[in-house]
Amino acid sequence: MAVSKEESEKVRNFLDRKRLIHMYEEGRSSFELEYKRHNSAGECAWISFLIKVFRVPHTDEVECFIYTYDITEQIQNDIIMGMIADREFDFIGLLYVKSGMFEIVKKSNRLKSLKIKKKYSYRECMYHFCKKYIPENEKDQFDQATSLDEIVNGIRCNNRYTVTYKCIETRETRCKQTDYFSLDASAGIILVVRTDVTSTYEKDLKQIREIRDAKKEADRANQAKSMFISNMSHDMRTPLNGILGYADIALREKNADSMQEYIEKIKISGKFLLSLINDTLELSRIESGK
């Protein structure tokens, strides 16, 4: 049932009778092995062998009990958490409200300072982290936001409390986010997850800059359009006044030569007005993509 010859050979060697007797005689009485095999549905599953070896008092024989467990879900969770921790999370920890202690249960390989399964004073951890990594102008805000009272109140109100802040690591400014969740309210245990959100933060800043630049460009375009309309309205009014004025004079003029002169000026003003209208229509076609 093993998924490969290597896995099969590993199990065969582990369950070898002479090996088990030899190991027992050297003082070992418990053995464990994990291996991968196919289950009844043909799917891959992780199996754990747990062997307990003992000597029967009356017969002096060596016997063993073999327990078999399906640990597929546990292995998958460990793999998933490992991948997440390496790629996104700095650490996953537990905060004990009643004692004020804090411990790391899973951490990224990047995090060297804290050890797994060792309890620290949460207040001292935050103090040293703030002193070493938080920019000077944000220390007070960070200290207040990560205080135990603030966290407990935030979780009580929203079932989750989140703090986002900047920190300086190896002379590089990073953006971190710490989420606090109530894991066991009666026992006062809080799940703490710190994530590096620098890439998301930088992406958001870029989008904000692009939106701001686009708004400035739109404001400049609107201002230019307003100036254009204002100037065009004035420029159109000038030849139109000429047309109306010379038309009014021409209607009262009896001299044919003078009337001809007025009509020519009306024509000139009309051509100029037409060119302005054509320019306005051309701008409209440009804006509409035509």
Side-chain angles (χ1 to χ4, degrees):
M1 298 175 71
V3 296
S4 65
K5 291 181 179 179
E6 291 77 9
E7 290 288 290
S8 179
E9 189 65 24
K10 182 171 69 173
V11 175
R12 185 178 291 109
N13 292 334
F14 177 75
L15 297 176
D16 182 74
R17 183 175 63 88
K18 291 182 180 180
R19 174 185 173 276
L20 291 174
I21 293 175
H22 176 70
M23 297 292 286
Y24 176 75
E25 290 175 346
E26 289 188 344
R28 290 189 59 184
S29 60
S30 179
F31 309 92
E32 188 173 1
L33 172 72
E34 296 175 357
Y35 84 107
K36 199 173 184 181
R37 69 172 174 124
H38 297 290
N39 59 21
S40 57
E43 301 170 339
C44 290
W46 281 96
I47 302 299
S48 173
F49 275 132
L50 179 61
I51 297 181
K52 299 290 185 179
V53 183
F54 62 96
R55 190 179 297 275
V56 181
H58 303 295
T59 64
D60 205 37
E61 290 184 83
V62 175
E63 295 186 357
C64 69
F65 281 101
I66 303 177
Y67 306 86
T68 307
Y69 303 95
D70 187 325
I71 57 171
T72 304
E73 185 176 351
Q74 175 187 334
I75 293 293
Q76 288 177 343
N77 288 339
D78 288 344
I79 293 173
I80 291 170
M81 291 305 297
M83 293 174 64
I84 291 174
D86 287 339
R87 295 184 181 182
E88 295 183 21
F89 291 108
D90 287 344
F91 66 77
I92 300 172
L94 296 176
L95 173 58
Y96 302 94
V97 177
K98 295 179 180 180
S99 64
M101 302 302 288
F102 172 72
E103 69 172 320
I104 302 290
V105 296
K106 192 78 176 179
K107 70 173 185 175
S108 167
N109 294 331
R110 300 186 302 271
L111 193 65
K112 307 296 183 181
S113 57
L114 298 177
K115 296 181 179 180
I116 293 178
K117 296 297 183 181
K118 181 179 179 180
K119 291 187 177 180
Y120 301 88
S121 166
Y122 174 76
R123 185 175 181 180
E124 290 182 7
C125 280
M126 292 299 100
Y127 173 77
H128 290 298
F129 180 81
C130 179
K131 183 178 179 180
K132 187 174 181 180
Y133 297 106
I134 301 299
E136 192 64 35
N137 60 337
E138 298 183 13
K139 288 185 185 296
D140 291 340
Q141 182 180 354
F142 174 83
D143 186 58
Q144 180 180 354
T146 57
S147 67
L148 201 55
D149 290 339
E150 197 74 18
I151 294 169
V152 172
N153 290 333
I155 292 177
R156 187 183 296 118
C157 296
N158 303 309
N159 298 320
R160 173 179 176 175
Y161 181 70
T162 300
V163 181
T164 304
Y165 50 90
K166 295 178 183 178
C167 67
I168 301 173
E169 294 181 348
T170 61
R171 299 182 181 179
E172 181 183 4
T173 300
R174 309 290 297 177
C175 187
K176 304 288 184 177
Q177 178 175 303
T178 303
D179 294 292
Y180 300 85
F181 308 89
S182 178
L183 189 64
D184 189 335
S186 60
I189 302 176
I190 295 174
L191 178 66
V192 185
V193 182
R194 193 177 83 186
T195 313
D196 190 311
V197 294
T198 305
S199 58
T200 304
Y201 174 73
E202 291 176 347
K203 183 179 179 181
D204 290 343
L205 284 182
K206 182 180 178 182
Q207 290 179 340
I208 291 172
R209 286 195 297 267
E210 289 175 351
I211 292 173
R212 188 183 294 118
D213 292 342
K215 183 179 182 301
K216 288 181 179 179
E217 189 64 30
D219 290 342
R220 284 195 293 267
N222 287 331
Q223 185 179 2
K225 186 183 291 185
S226 298
M227 291 179 62
F228 172 80
I229 292 174
S230 176
N231 293 335
M232 189 61 70
S233 299
H234 178 270
D235 291 345
M236 285 182 176
R237 192 178 295 113
T238 300
L240 186 58
N241 285 336
I243 292 171
L244 295 175
Y246 282 116
D248 186 58
I249 294 174
L251 289 173
R252 297 195 303 269
E253 182 61 52
K254 304 298 183 181
N255 187 289
D257 293 336
S258 297
M259 186 180 294
Q260 181 66 29
E261 180 183 354
Y262 297 147
I263 293 173
E264 289 177 356
K265 291 182 177 181
I266 290 173
K267 184 178 180 180
I268 293 171
S269 296
K271 286 183 177 181
F272 179 54
L273 180 59
L274 179 62
S275 69
L276 293 175
I277 293 173
N278 286 335
D279 288 343
T280 306
L281 294 176
E282 184 68 20
L283 179 67
S284 177
R285 285 194 292 271
I286 291 172
E287 287 187 332
S288 63
K290 296 180 180 179

